[in-house]
Amino acid sequence: MQARHPGYRAYCPPRGGLTDCPIIVGFSIDRTRMIIATEFNMKDFSPDQTIILAKIRHIEELERLSACTVFVETIGLIIHQIQAERGASCLYLASAGQRFGRERSDIIEQNQGLELRFREALQRHLEHDSMVDAKQLTLISWILLGFDQLKALRHQVTLHKISFPDCIQSFNRFVGCLISLIFDITDNAVNSKISTYLLALYNLVQGKEFAGQERAVGSYMFGSGQVQQEHQQKLLELIALQDRHFELFCQFGGHQLQKAWAASMDTSIHQRHRQFRGKLTHAHDGQAVKTHDGDEWFELCSQRLTDIWHLQCQLIKGMHDMLETLAKEAKNDLEKTRQYLQKVRRQPAQSATLDSAFFNLSIPVENAYTFLAHDSQHAYPMESIVSLLQQQSQQIAEIENELAETKQALAERKQIERAKGLLMSKRGISEVEAYKILRSTAMEQNRKIIDVADNILAKQNSLS
């Protein structure tokens, strides 16, 4: 029987993995429609009816986000398991099929159900969001095509009909498409807190992907017995890309995840991993390395990926917990609003004056109906529909203000990526080299990187 590689347990994804999380809001779209049909007079809408409808829509949106979160969680698990298969496949090819054959077979068997999981989560996602746009559906089409052709790729690896670099790039392409879907979902999220969680998750998953590629490239270098400048440069690029995405993960992940990240990086395993990195990155072109060090390198990288995976699970749990809290608050708010309106209706009819009406100019409603932060110096009338509408407008304004920060970060990321791609195309340079140009230019001109990126794209647009 073939011996198990010492790093097998470290890199092999946990069985199950995905938390069994049902849709937590418990407020179905069909029930929403029933409430609208039974409670509301469609021909004679009133302000109190539409404010109730607004709060129901908010609960409905949380239900959509809950299904969306389960979908993203499934995508993250699939990425994790495909990364494990890529690592085993690369070592299998590097050893000409002499090593890691059994481990690779075990992982492929475990991964057989990935497509079904993806399709099931996709169905739930589409059922709860009928407005998924063409861009997201096109990304999903590419992923389904990748699943369709994954069997053929595995067969090529088994028969050694594909080179080591092409094997890496093939798996990288599939994982990259899955990560792009996470980014697109993040870009379309409309809840500020969940959007921030998703942005942290995107950067963690992207950084983890570059860490997985680092494992594969380093394993090949150790397996070949010598350092080649081409692979060494690729390793340096992957390290720089990881640093950038993990920094953004810490920025958006919050204090708890920042502490967890710092703790996970300050262990003997990660210190040893950095020492092995140094052996590869500081070696001369053509310098010999010990082949048997490849086993320890793979095990160290695998443990690092497992640690990042645990952080990913922690982040996902935080997102589920946040959604559960938001859903509970939204349902409580809906019930309180119903009670409040009943109390207002029971009050004696007010005289036909402007004392508490929309046209009383002493009541500052402009900031409310334009969804701006309210002026705290002005007291709002209590126990009136005006007070309720002002409170609702303020809640929406706060959500939009928080969401704007995340949306700005996403928009800046897309602009920087476009500028980086333009530099890569025009100068024939790598991704890391393009980013270095953006960063060094920003430092020289004492400007932000996004400003430099905007300037590059503006110049290109003026020439076209």
Side-chain angles (χ1 to χ4, degrees), residues 204-421:
L204 183 66
V205 171
Q206 184 66 82
K208 178 171 173 281
E209 166 59 6
F210 290 133
Q213 292 181 31
E214 177 192 358
R215 176 179 65 180
V217 173
S219 295
Y220 183 78
M221 292 168 74
F222 278 117
S224 65
Q226 67 174 3
V227 173
Q228 297 177 345
Q229 188 175 15
E230 175 189 357
H231 295 129
Q232 187 182 53
Q233 183 60 36
K234 180 63 177 177
L235 198 67
L236 289 167
E237 290 180 5
L238 291 169
I239 292 169
L241 289 167
Q242 286 175 67
D243 291 344
R244 184 154 60 97
H245 283 285
F246 289 144
E247 181 182 347
L248 288 168
F249 158 71
C250 289
Q251 178 183 338
F252 291 102
H255 182 65
Q256 271 194 325
L257 285 170
Q258 288 175 16
K259 285 180 64 179
W261 173 260
S264 70
M265 295 298 109
D266 189 26
T267 62
S268 58
I269 289 174
H270 289 272
Q271 291 169 5
R272 183 66 173 157
H273 171 258
R274 286 191 287 269
Q275 291 174 2
F276 269 75
R277 261 187 180 177
K279 288 182 181 181
L280 296 175
T281 56
H282 293 94
H284 302 297
D285 185 25
Q287 181 176 325
V289 290
K290 298 176 181 178
T291 305
H292 66 265
D293 280 347
D295 287 351
E296 187 175 358
W297 163 261
F298 190 87
E299 186 174 3
L300 290 167
C301 289
S302 298
Q303 184 57 55
R304 182 167 179 256
L305 289 171
T306 299
D307 290 344
I308 297 171
W309 165 253
H310 289 154
L311 281 172
Q312 184 175 326
C313 292
Q314 183 178 338
L315 195 159
I316 288 286
K317 182 181 183 303
M319 196 153 36
H320 284 310
D321 290 345
M322 175 60 70
L323 269 169
E324 191 169 0
T325 299
L326 291 173
K328 185 177 180 180
E329 290 174 351
K331 287 187 284 187
N332 287 339
D333 185 42
L334 175 61
E335 183 57 32
K336 287 180 180 178
T337 301
R338 292 185 191 278
Q339 295 173 3
Y340 180 90
L341 288 170
Q342 289 174 0
K343 185 177 180 180
V344 170
R345 293 190 195 106
R346 286 197 297 265
Q347 291 178 347
Q350 297 179 350
S351 59
T353 67
L354 297 179
D355 290 343
S356 60
F358 178 83
F359 293 104
N360 185 343
L361 300 185
S362 67
I363 301 174
V365 300
E366 284 80 2
N367 285 349
Y369 71 69
T370 53
F371 298 96
L372 300 174
H374 70 79
D375 187 349
S376 59
Q377 293 180 350
H378 292 82
Y380 294 150
M382 301 304 294
E383 297 185 2
S384 70
I385 186 64
V386 172
S387 174
L388 183 63
L389 289 173
Q390 287 170 328
Q391 182 186 39
Q392 172 74 2
S393 296
Q394 175 61 19
Q395 290 175 355
I396 293 173
E398 289 172 357
I399 290 172
E400 290 187 340
N401 287 342
E402 292 173 1
L403 186 60
E405 297 178 11
T406 307
K407 292 295 184 182
Q408 182 180 355
L410 288 165
E412 288 182 0
R413 183 259 177 189
K414 287 190 282 188
Q415 283 293 89
I416 291 171
E417 290 298 313
R418 291 190 186 106
K420 192 170 62 177

Side-chain angles (χ1 to χ4, degrees), residues 33-98:
R33 289 170 179 159
M34 182 182 70
I35 290 172
I36 294 172
T38 57
E39 284 196 31
F40 299 159
N41 183 351
M42 302 294 286
K43 295 181 180 179
D44 187 25
F45 271 119
S46 64
D48 53 342
Q49 287 178 326
T50 51
I51 198 66
I52 289 290
L53 181 57
K55 292 183 181 296
I56 290 174
R57 285 283 191 258
H58 178 54
I59 295 174
E60 195 175 280
E61 175 61 27
L62 291 173
E63 182 182 49
R64 187 192 71 79
L65 280 172
S66 182
C68 181
T69 301
V70 174
F71 186 42
V72 169
E73 182 179 9
T74 304
I75 297 169
L77 175 65
I78 291 170
I79 290 170
H80 184 71
Q81 298 194 185
I82 292 295
Q83 287 169 336
E85 183 177 341
R86 176 182 58 197
S89 298
C90 288
L91 279 183
Y92 175 79
L93 286 174
S95 65
Q98 299 303 306

Side-chain angles (χ1 to χ4, degrees), residues 23-158:
I23 305 303
I24 49 88
V25 176
F27 204 97
S28 70
I29 295 174
D30 287 341
R31 185 183 170 196
T32 301
R33 289 170 179 159
M34 182 182 70
I35 290 172
I36 294 172
T38 57
E39 284 196 31
F40 299 159
N41 183 351
M42 302 294 286
K43 295 181 180 179
D44 187 25
F45 271 119
S46 64
D48 53 342
Q49 287 178 326
T50 51
I51 198 66
I52 289 290
L53 181 57
K55 292 183 181 296
I56 290 174
R57 285 283 191 258
H58 178 54
I59 295 174
E60 195 175 280
E61 175 61 27
L62 291 173
E63 182 182 49
R64 187 192 71 79
L65 280 172
S66 182
C68 181
T69 301
V70 174
F71 186 42
V72 169
E73 182 179 9
T74 304
I75 297 169
L77 175 65
I78 291 170
I79 290 170
H80 184 71
Q81 298 194 185
I82 292 295
Q83 287 169 336
E85 183 177 341
R86 176 182 58 197
S89 298
C90 288
L91 279 183
Y92 175 79
L93 286 174
S95 65
Q98 299 303 306
R99 298 167 58 240
F100 250 72
R102 173 67 181 279
E103 289 85 351
R104 174 175 173 264
S105 296
D106 287 348
I107 295 170
I108 290 175
E109 181 181 357
Q110 185 178 355
N111 287 357
Q112 291 296 333
L114 291 183
E115 181 177 0
L116 179 59
R117 272 193 167 178
F118 180 82
R119 289 180 181 275
E120 289 174 346
L122 171 62
Q123 183 177 353
R124 289 195 297 269
H125 174 55
L126 295 179
E127 284 174 352
H128 288 86
D129 188 359
S130 59
M131 299 302 291
V132 172
D133 62 20
K135 180 182 178 183
Q136 190 175 131
L137 289 171
T138 303
L139 274 171
I140 291 169
S141 298
W142 280 111
I143 291 167
L144 291 172
L145 181 63
F147 272 121
D148 288 343
Q149 300 179 5
L150 192 56
K151 183 178 179 180
L153 173 62
R154 288 167 174 159
H155 192 58
Q156 283 185 305
V157 174
T158 301

